[in-house]
Amino acid sequence: MTESEAIRARHAVRNYTAKPLPPAVIGGLKEEIEQCNKLGQLHIQLITEDEGAFKSFIPLFGRFKNVKNYIALAARKQSGFYEKCGYYGARLMIKAQQAGLNSCWVTNTYNAKKCPVSLAPDEELAGVIAIGYGASDGTPHKSKSMERLCKPCSEAWFINGMNAAVLAPTGLNRQNFFIEADGNTVSICTKDNSPMSQINTGIVKYHFEIGAGTEKQWIWA
């Protein structure tokens, strides 16, 4: 399964089976996490067979069941770290899909105090990605039309990028972003500069990059 195929196949899943992650899958995820941490200067960690962060917790949005495995998005509090967590978190979420797992992005609807993540004094837990074998593969989320999310552009690479960006998970599925291209320069803006918006920016950027590909030379503004 390619990354583009994984983006199209992945849907939010909140209900998981008790099937444990195989050692080979855990090893593959840890290798990918190590690469992401090096590239983004992050401290992302894989938590397995621990349900403390989701046990006896009533979320504000959506209910989770049998979540025992998740990717903890931790990083040193520095400029742009929320966006980096979103960007590399999206990469890891797609990696999990390629490994046959289901997933769901979680920012507020879990108990961070019971998450056994290792944090330095200057680090923060920005959110987690629940992963595992879902009771189902989920269903496509409702999306805004592409016309509402970008400035019209006839370039094939941009359209392909937007087709992937539209599928990116965002906070409460609000899709509060807007993308436009000026020649080969692409810019993205969000409703505000809150941590959630910055995380969403990173997620959307990763999706767009996978869709747009590298055949056309383009850059982020």
PDB file of all heavy atoms in Angstrom, residues 64-95:
ATOM      1  N   PHE A  64     -14.061   6.245  23.073  1.00  0.00           N
ATOM      2  CA  PHE A  64     -13.029   5.280  22.700  1.00  0.00           C
ATOM      3  C   PHE A  64     -13.223   3.990  23.490  1.00  0.00           C
ATOM      4  O   PHE A  64     -13.680   4.010  24.637  1.00  0.00           O
ATOM      5  CB  PHE A  64     -11.640   5.851  22.974  1.00  0.00           C
ATOM      6  CG  PHE A  64     -11.259   6.971  22.050  1.00  0.00           C
ATOM      7  CD1 PHE A  64     -11.604   8.280  22.346  1.00  0.00           C
ATOM      8  CD2 PHE A  64     -10.571   6.714  20.876  1.00  0.00           C
ATOM      9  CE1 PHE A  64     -11.261   9.313  21.499  1.00  0.00           C
ATOM     10  CE2 PHE A  64     -10.227   7.739  20.019  1.00  0.00           C
ATOM     11  CZ  PHE A  64     -10.572   9.040  20.327  1.00  0.00           C
ATOM     12  N   LYS A  65     -12.861   2.871  22.865  1.00  0.00           N
ATOM     13  CA  LYS A  65     -12.990   1.581  23.514  1.00  0.00           C
ATOM     14  C   LYS A  65     -11.772   0.719  23.191  1.00  0.00           C
ATOM     15  O   LYS A  65     -11.350   0.633  22.040  1.00  0.00           O
ATOM     16  CB  LYS A  65     -14.277   0.880  23.047  1.00  0.00           C
ATOM     17  CG  LYS A  65     -14.558  -0.431  23.766  1.00  0.00           C
ATOM     18  CD  LYS A  65     -15.877  -1.026  23.307  1.00  0.00           C
ATOM     19  CE  LYS A  65     -16.162  -2.341  24.038  1.00  0.00           C
ATOM     20  NZ  LYS A  65     -17.468  -2.934  23.597  1.00  0.00           N
ATOM     21  N   ASN A  66     -11.224   0.102  24.230  1.00  0.00           N
ATOM     22  CA  ASN A  66     -10.093  -0.817  24.086  1.00  0.00           C
ATOM     23  C   ASN A  66      -8.847  -0.169  23.476  1.00  0.00           C
ATOM     24  O   ASN A  66      -8.102  -0.828  22.746  1.00  0.00           O
ATOM     25  CB  ASN A  66     -10.486  -2.041  23.251  1.00  0.00           C
ATOM     26  CG  ASN A  66     -11.513  -2.913  23.949  1.00  0.00           C
ATOM     27  OD1 ASN A  66     -11.535  -3.002  25.176  1.00  0.00           O
ATOM     28  ND2 ASN A  66     -12.383  -3.542  23.170  1.00  0.00           N
ATOM     29  N   VAL A  67      -8.593   1.095  23.779  1.00  0.00           N
ATOM     30  CA  VAL A  67      -7.366   1.733  23.300  1.00  0.00           C
ATOM     31  C   VAL A  67      -6.238   1.395  24.264  1.00  0.00           C
ATOM     32  O   VAL A  67      -6.218   1.838  25.402  1.00  0.00           O
ATOM     33  CB  VAL A  67      -7.521   3.267  23.193  1.00  0.00           C
ATOM     34  CG1 VAL A  67      -6.203   3.886  22.731  1.00  0.00           C
ATOM     35  CG2 VAL A  67      -8.640   3.628  22.236  1.00  0.00           C
ATOM     36  N   LYS A  68      -5.292   0.582  23.802  1.00  0.00           N
ATOM     37  CA  LYS A  68      -4.151   0.182  24.614  1.00  0.00           C
ATOM     38  C   LYS A  68      -2.815   0.553  23.977  1.00  0.00           C
ATOM     39  O   LYS A  68      -1.773   0.435  24.610  1.00  0.00           O
ATOM     40  CB  LYS A  68      -4.192  -1.325  24.860  1.00  0.00           C
ATOM     41  CG  LYS A  68      -5.392  -1.799  25.673  1.00  0.00           C
ATOM     42  CD  LYS A  68      -5.328  -3.299  25.903  1.00  0.00           C
ATOM     43  CE  LYS A  68      -6.512  -3.781  26.721  1.00  0.00           C
ATOM     44  NZ  LYS A  68      -6.453  -5.249  26.965  1.00  0.00           N
ATOM     45  N   ASN A  69      -2.884   0.969  22.726  1.00  0.00           N
ATOM     46  CA  ASN A  69      -1.661   1.311  21.991  1.00  0.00           C
ATOM     47  C   ASN A  69      -1.822   2.697  21.372  1.00  0.00           C
ATOM     48  O   ASN A  69      -2.851   2.995  20.768  1.00  0.00           O
ATOM     49  CB  ASN A  69      -1.412   0.287  20.882  1.00  0.00           C
ATOM     50  CG  ASN A  69      -1.431  -1.137  21.398  1.00  0.00           C
ATOM     51  OD1 ASN A  69      -0.540  -1.551  22.126  1.00  0.00           O
ATOM     52  ND2 ASN A  69      -2.468  -1.891  21.028  1.00  0.00           N
ATOM     53  N   TYR A  70      -0.813   3.519  21.539  1.00  0.00           N
ATOM     54  CA  TYR A  70      -0.902   4.855  20.950  1.00  0.00           C
ATOM     55  C   TYR A  70       0.484   5.477  20.799  1.00  0.00           C
ATOM     56  O   TYR A  70       1.449   5.070  21.450  1.00  0.00           O
ATOM     57  CB  TYR A  70      -1.819   5.767  21.761  1.00  0.00           C
ATOM     58  CG  TYR A  70      -1.622   5.739  23.254  1.00  0.00           C
ATOM     59  CD1 TYR A  70      -0.796   6.650  23.901  1.00  0.00           C
ATOM     60  CD2 TYR A  70      -2.280   4.787  24.034  1.00  0.00           C
ATOM     61  CE1 TYR A  70      -0.631   6.632  25.265  1.00  0.00           C
ATOM     62  CE2 TYR A  70      -2.117   4.748  25.409  1.00  0.00           C
ATOM     63  CZ  TYR A  70      -1.293   5.679  26.021  1.00  0.00           C
ATOM     64  OH  TYR A  70      -1.115   5.647  27.392  1.00  0.00           O
ATOM     65  N   ILE A  71       0.545   6.427  19.913  1.00  0.00           N
ATOM     66  CA  ILE A  71       1.775   7.176  19.659  1.00  0.00           C
ATOM     67  C   ILE A  71       1.670   8.500  20.398  1.00  0.00           C
ATOM     68  O   ILE A  71       0.743   9.280  20.144  1.00  0.00           O
ATOM     69  CB  ILE A  71       1.965   7.417  18.152  1.00  0.00           C
ATOM     70  CG1 ILE A  71       2.109   6.064  17.419  1.00  0.00           C
ATOM     71  CG2 ILE A  71       3.183   8.296  17.891  1.00  0.00           C
ATOM     72  CD1 ILE A  71       2.016   6.185  15.912  1.00  0.00           C
ATOM     73  N   ALA A  72       2.573   8.736  21.322  1.00  0.00           N
ATOM     74  CA  ALA A  72       2.567   9.966  22.115  1.00  0.00           C
ATOM     75  C   ALA A  72       3.414  11.029  21.418  1.00  0.00           C
ATOM     76  O   ALA A  72       4.614  10.835  21.196  1.00  0.00           O
ATOM     77  CB  ALA A  72       3.112   9.689  23.515  1.00  0.00           C
ATOM     78  N   LEU A  73       2.791  12.131  21.073  1.00  0.00           N
ATOM     79  CA  LEU A  73       3.455  13.201  20.331  1.00  0.00           C
ATOM     80  C   LEU A  73       4.050  14.217  21.301  1.00  0.00           C
ATOM     81  O   LEU A  73       3.407  15.178  21.703  1.00  0.00           O
ATOM     82  CB  LEU A  73       2.458  13.874  19.387  1.00  0.00           C
ATOM     83  CG  LEU A  73       1.777  12.914  18.405  1.00  0.00           C
ATOM     84  CD1 LEU A  73       0.615  13.591  17.707  1.00  0.00           C
ATOM     85  CD2 LEU A  73       2.790  12.398  17.394  1.00  0.00           C
ATOM     86  N   ALA A  74       5.279  13.974  21.686  1.00  0.00           N
ATOM     87  CA  ALA A  74       5.957  14.833  22.652  1.00  0.00           C
ATOM     88  C   ALA A  74       7.104  15.578  21.985  1.00  0.00           C
ATOM     89  O   ALA A  74       7.711  15.083  21.031  1.00  0.00           O
ATOM     90  CB  ALA A  74       6.481  14.008  23.816  1.00  0.00           C
ATOM     91  N   ALA A  75       7.388  16.768  22.508  1.00  0.00           N
ATOM     92  CA  ALA A  75       8.470  17.575  21.938  1.00  0.00           C
ATOM     93  C   ALA A  75       8.875  18.670  22.907  1.00  0.00           C
ATOM     94  O   ALA A  75       8.118  19.053  23.803  1.00  0.00           O
ATOM     95  CB  ALA A  75       8.030  18.185  20.616  1.00  0.00           C
ATOM     96  N   ARG A  76      10.081  19.163  22.716  1.00  0.00           N
ATOM     97  CA  ARG A  76      10.534  20.320  23.489  1.00  0.00           C
ATOM     98  C   ARG A  76       9.758  21.543  23.050  1.00  0.00           C
ATOM     99  O   ARG A  76       9.520  21.751  21.862  1.00  0.00           O
ATOM    100  CB  ARG A  76      12.042  20.547  23.276  1.00  0.00           C
ATOM    101  CG  ARG A  76      12.621  21.694  24.100  1.00  0.00           C
ATOM    102  CD  ARG A  76      14.143  21.649  24.072  1.00  0.00           C
ATOM    103  NE  ARG A  76      14.660  21.823  22.728  1.00  0.00           N
ATOM    104  CZ  ARG A  76      14.885  23.037  22.180  1.00  0.00           C
ATOM    105  NH1 ARG A  76      14.642  24.142  22.860  1.00  0.00           N
ATOM    106  NH2 ARG A  76      15.383  23.117  20.967  1.00  0.00           N
ATOM    107  N   LYS A  77       9.327  22.335  24.019  1.00  0.00           N
ATOM    108  CA  LYS A  77       8.529  23.516  23.724  1.00  0.00           C
ATOM    109  C   LYS A  77       9.397  24.587  23.057  1.00  0.00           C
ATOM    110  O   LYS A  77      10.165  25.274  23.717  1.00  0.00           O
ATOM    111  CB  LYS A  77       7.879  24.047  25.008  1.00  0.00           C
ATOM    112  CG  LYS A  77       6.793  23.125  25.543  1.00  0.00           C
ATOM    113  CD  LYS A  77       6.167  23.647  26.813  1.00  0.00           C
ATOM    114  CE  LYS A  77       7.032  23.367  28.015  1.00  0.00           C
ATOM    115  NZ  LYS A  77       6.337  23.718  29.297  1.00  0.00           N
ATOM    116  N   GLN A  78       9.275  24.670  21.739  1.00  0.00           N
ATOM    117  CA  GLN A  78      10.043  25.619  20.951  1.00  0.00           C
ATOM    118  C   GLN A  78       9.178  26.103  19.796  1.00  0.00           C
ATOM    119  O   GLN A  78       8.091  25.576  19.560  1.00  0.00           O
ATOM    120  CB  GLN A  78      11.303  24.940  20.412  1.00  0.00           C
ATOM    121  CG  GLN A  78      11.016  23.687  19.599  1.00  0.00           C
ATOM    122  CD  GLN A  78      12.269  22.978  19.157  1.00  0.00           C
ATOM    123  OE1 GLN A  78      13.167  23.575  18.594  1.00  0.00           O
ATOM    124  NE2 GLN A  78      12.330  21.673  19.400  1.00  0.00           N
ATOM    125  N   SER A  79       9.643  27.075  19.083  1.00  0.00           N
ATOM    126  CA  SER A  79       8.881  27.629  17.971  1.00  0.00           C
ATOM    127  C   SER A  79       8.556  26.548  16.944  1.00  0.00           C
ATOM    128  O   SER A  79       9.437  25.825  16.487  1.00  0.00           O
ATOM    129  CB  SER A  79       9.677  28.754  17.299  1.00  0.00           C
ATOM    130  OG  SER A  79       8.983  29.263  16.181  1.00  0.00           O
ATOM    131  N   GLY A  80       7.270  26.424  16.604  1.00  0.00           N
ATOM    132  CA  GLY A  80       6.846  25.501  15.557  1.00  0.00           C
ATOM    133  C   GLY A  80       6.697  24.058  15.981  1.00  0.00           C
ATOM    134  O   GLY A  80       6.447  23.197  15.127  1.00  0.00           O
ATOM    135  N   PHE A  81       6.814  23.761  17.287  1.00  0.00           N
ATOM    136  CA  PHE A  81       6.802  22.340  17.668  1.00  0.00           C
ATOM    137  C   PHE A  81       5.421  21.708  17.520  1.00  0.00           C
ATOM    138  O   PHE A  81       5.293  20.520  17.253  1.00  0.00           O
ATOM    139  CB  PHE A  81       7.370  22.130  19.070  1.00  0.00           C
ATOM    140  CG  PHE A  81       6.415  22.389  20.206  1.00  0.00           C
ATOM    141  CD1 PHE A  81       5.720  21.335  20.795  1.00  0.00           C
ATOM    142  CD2 PHE A  81       6.232  23.667  20.707  1.00  0.00           C
ATOM    143  CE1 PHE A  81       4.864  21.554  21.855  1.00  0.00           C
ATOM    144  CE2 PHE A  81       5.375  23.899  21.768  1.00  0.00           C
ATOM    145  CZ  PHE A  81       4.681  22.838  22.345  1.00  0.00           C
ATOM    146  N   TYR A  82       4.356  22.500  17.658  1.00  0.00           N
ATOM    147  CA  TYR A  82       3.010  21.936  17.454  1.00  0.00           C
ATOM    148  C   TYR A  82       2.830  21.500  15.990  1.00  0.00           C
ATOM    149  O   TYR A  82       2.311  20.427  15.705  1.00  0.00           O
ATOM    150  CB  TYR A  82       1.931  22.951  17.812  1.00  0.00           C
ATOM    151  CG  TYR A  82       1.725  23.162  19.291  1.00  0.00           C
ATOM    152  CD1 TYR A  82       1.906  24.423  19.864  1.00  0.00           C
ATOM    153  CD2 TYR A  82       1.330  22.107  20.125  1.00  0.00           C
ATOM    154  CE1 TYR A  82       1.711  24.624  21.217  1.00  0.00           C
ATOM    155  CE2 TYR A  82       1.140  22.304  21.486  1.00  0.00           C
ATOM    156  CZ  TYR A  82       1.325  23.567  22.025  1.00  0.00           C
ATOM    157  OH  TYR A  82       1.132  23.773  23.371  1.00  0.00           O
ATOM    158  N   GLU A  83       3.258  22.362  15.077  1.00  0.00           N
ATOM    159  CA  GLU A  83       3.135  22.020  13.663  1.00  0.00           C
ATOM    160  C   GLU A  83       3.971  20.786  13.330  1.00  0.00           C
ATOM    161  O   GLU A  83       3.531  19.914  12.565  1.00  0.00           O
ATOM    162  CB  GLU A  83       3.570  23.195  12.785  1.00  0.00           C
ATOM    163  CG  GLU A  83       3.399  22.921  11.289  1.00  0.00           C
ATOM    164  CD  GLU A  83       3.731  24.113  10.414  1.00  0.00           C
ATOM    165  OE1 GLU A  83       3.359  25.255  10.785  1.00  0.00           O
ATOM    166  OE2 GLU A  83       4.359  23.918   9.356  1.00  0.00           O
ATOM    167  N   LYS A  84       5.167  20.699  13.907  1.00  0.00           N
ATOM    168  CA  LYS A  84       6.013  19.531  13.662  1.00  0.00           C
ATOM    169  C   LYS A  84       5.357  18.258  14.192  1.00  0.00           C
ATOM    170  O   LYS A  84       5.420  17.204  13.556  1.00  0.00           O
ATOM    171  CB  LYS A  84       7.383  19.718  14.321  1.00  0.00           C
ATOM    172  CG  LYS A  84       8.307  20.681  13.600  1.00  0.00           C
ATOM    173  CD  LYS A  84       9.664  20.713  14.279  1.00  0.00           C
ATOM    174  CE  LYS A  84      10.634  21.631  13.566  1.00  0.00           C
ATOM    175  NZ  LYS A  84      11.965  21.647  14.226  1.00  0.00           N
ATOM    176  N   CYS A  85       4.724  18.351  15.359  1.00  0.00           N
ATOM    177  CA  CYS A  85       4.022  17.191  15.900  1.00  0.00           C
ATOM    178  C   CYS A  85       2.909  16.756  14.961  1.00  0.00           C
ATOM    179  O   CYS A  85       2.689  15.558  14.746  1.00  0.00           O
ATOM    180  CB  CYS A  85       3.457  17.513  17.286  1.00  0.00           C
ATOM    181  SG  CYS A  85       4.675  17.510  18.626  1.00  0.00           S
ATOM    182  N   GLY A  86       2.201  17.727  14.392  1.00  0.00           N
ATOM    183  CA  GLY A  86       1.152  17.394  13.436  1.00  0.00           C
ATOM    184  C   GLY A  86       1.707  16.761  12.179  1.00  0.00           C
ATOM    185  O   GLY A  86       1.182  15.761  11.683  1.00  0.00           O
ATOM    186  N   TYR A  87       2.787  17.335  11.671  1.00  0.00           N
ATOM    187  CA  TYR A  87       3.381  16.861  10.419  1.00  0.00           C
ATOM    188  C   TYR A  87       3.911  15.430  10.560  1.00  0.00           C
ATOM    189  O   TYR A  87       3.552  14.542   9.773  1.00  0.00           O
ATOM    190  CB  TYR A  87       4.512  17.811  10.025  1.00  0.00           C
ATOM    191  CG  TYR A  87       5.180  17.483   8.708  1.00  0.00           C
ATOM    192  CD1 TYR A  87       4.710  18.042   7.524  1.00  0.00           C
ATOM    193  CD2 TYR A  87       6.286  16.640   8.652  1.00  0.00           C
ATOM    194  CE1 TYR A  87       5.329  17.753   6.309  1.00  0.00           C
ATOM    195  CE2 TYR A  87       6.900  16.341   7.448  1.00  0.00           C
ATOM    196  CZ  TYR A  87       6.420  16.911   6.274  1.00  0.00           C
ATOM    197  OH  TYR A  87       7.028  16.603   5.073  1.00  0.00           O
ATOM    198  N   TYR A  88       4.744  15.213  11.576  1.00  0.00           N
ATOM    199  CA  TYR A  88       5.331  13.888  11.725  1.00  0.00           C
ATOM    200  C   TYR A  88       4.330  12.894  12.317  1.00  0.00           C
ATOM    201  O   TYR A  88       4.426  11.684  12.070  1.00  0.00           O
ATOM    202  CB  TYR A  88       6.609  13.968  12.557  1.00  0.00           C
ATOM    203  CG  TYR A  88       7.731  14.621  11.785  1.00  0.00           C
ATOM    204  CD1 TYR A  88       8.110  15.943  12.021  1.00  0.00           C
ATOM    205  CD2 TYR A  88       8.390  13.922  10.777  1.00  0.00           C
ATOM    206  CE1 TYR A  88       9.110  16.551  11.290  1.00  0.00           C
ATOM    207  CE2 TYR A  88       9.399  14.520  10.035  1.00  0.00           C
ATOM    208  CZ  TYR A  88       9.750  15.833  10.287  1.00  0.00           C
ATOM    209  OH  TYR A  88      10.737  16.437   9.542  1.00  0.00           O
ATOM    210  N   GLY A  89       3.363  13.397  13.070  1.00  0.00           N
ATOM    211  CA  GLY A  89       2.298  12.521  13.530  1.00  0.00           C
ATOM    212  C   GLY A  89       1.498  11.977  12.357  1.00  0.00           C
ATOM    213  O   GLY A  89       1.134  10.795  12.328  1.00  0.00           O
ATOM    214  N   ALA A  90       1.234  12.830  11.358  1.00  0.00           N
ATOM    215  CA  ALA A  90       0.524  12.389  10.159  1.00  0.00           C
ATOM    216  C   ALA A  90       1.334  11.328   9.424  1.00  0.00           C
ATOM    217  O   ALA A  90       0.785  10.336   8.926  1.00  0.00           O
ATOM    218  CB  ALA A  90       0.254  13.580   9.246  1.00  0.00           C
ATOM    219  N   ARG A  91       2.628  11.520   9.353  1.00  0.00           N
ATOM    220  CA  ARG A  91       3.502  10.533   8.702  1.00  0.00           C
ATOM    221  C   ARG A  91       3.411   9.188   9.417  1.00  0.00           C
ATOM    222  O   ARG A  91       3.314   8.129   8.765  1.00  0.00           O
ATOM    223  CB  ARG A  91       4.939  11.048   8.698  1.00  0.00           C
ATOM    224  CG  ARG A  91       5.985  10.029   8.271  1.00  0.00           C
ATOM    225  CD  ARG A  91       7.347  10.670   8.122  1.00  0.00           C
ATOM    226  NE  ARG A  91       8.423   9.668   8.088  1.00  0.00           N
ATOM    227  CZ  ARG A  91       9.696   9.943   7.797  1.00  0.00           C
ATOM    228  NH1 ARG A  91      10.046  11.189   7.522  1.00  0.00           N
ATOM    229  NH2 ARG A  91      10.605   8.977   7.806  1.00  0.00           N
ATOM    230  N   LEU A  92       3.412   9.205  10.742  1.00  0.00           N
ATOM    231  CA  LEU A  92       3.351   7.965  11.507  1.00  0.00           C
ATOM    232  C   LEU A  92       1.977   7.314  11.414  1.00  0.00           C
ATOM    233  O   LEU A  92       1.854   6.077  11.405  1.00  0.00           O
ATOM    234  CB  LEU A  92       3.703   8.246  12.972  1.00  0.00           C
ATOM    235  CG  LEU A  92       5.162   8.625  13.213  1.00  0.00           C
ATOM    236  CD1 LEU A  92       5.350   9.191  14.611  1.00  0.00           C
ATOM    237  CD2 LEU A  92       6.066   7.413  13.004  1.00  0.00           C
ATOM    238  N   MET A  93       0.943   8.129  11.331  1.00  0.00           N
ATOM    239  CA  MET A  93      -0.411   7.602  11.200  1.00  0.00           C
ATOM    240  C   MET A  93      -0.571   6.842   9.885  1.00  0.00           C
ATOM    241  O   MET A  93      -1.178   5.772   9.835  1.00  0.00           O
ATOM    242  CB  MET A  93      -1.410   8.761  11.272  1.00  0.00           C
ATOM    243  CG  MET A  93      -2.861   8.348  11.375  1.00  0.00           C
ATOM    244  SD  MET A  93      -3.896   9.751  11.856  1.00  0.00           S
ATOM    245  CE  MET A  93      -3.438  10.947  10.607  1.00  0.00           C
ATOM    246  N   ILE A  94       0.009   7.392   8.816  1.00  0.00           N
ATOM    247  CA  ILE A  94      -0.034   6.724   7.519  1.00  0.00           C
ATOM    248  C   ILE A  94       0.818   5.464   7.546  1.00  0.00           C
ATOM    249  O   ILE A  94       0.457   4.432   6.964  1.00  0.00           O
ATOM    250  CB  ILE A  94       0.432   7.684   6.412  1.00  0.00           C
ATOM    251  CG1 ILE A  94      -0.510   8.891   6.328  1.00  0.00           C
ATOM    252  CG2 ILE A  94       0.482   6.968   5.070  1.00  0.00           C
ATOM    253  CD1 ILE A  94      -1.977   8.532   6.199  1.00  0.00           C
ATOM    254  N   LYS A  95       1.954   5.513   8.250  1.00  0.00           N
ATOM    255  CA  LYS A  95       2.793   4.326   8.403  1.00  0.00           C
ATOM    256  C   LYS A  95       2.014   3.212   9.098  1.00  0.00           C
ATOM    257  O   LYS A  95       2.105   2.037   8.706  1.00  0.00           O
ATOM    258  CB  LYS A  95       4.045   4.679   9.212  1.00  0.00           C
ATOM    259  CG  LYS A  95       4.993   3.515   9.469  1.00  0.00           C
ATOM    260  CD  LYS A  95       5.675   3.050   8.208  1.00  0.00           C
ATOM    261  CE  LYS A  95       6.719   1.995   8.503  1.00  0.00           C
ATOM    262  NZ  LYS A  95       7.422   1.530   7.276  1.00  0.00           N
TER     263      LYS A  95
END
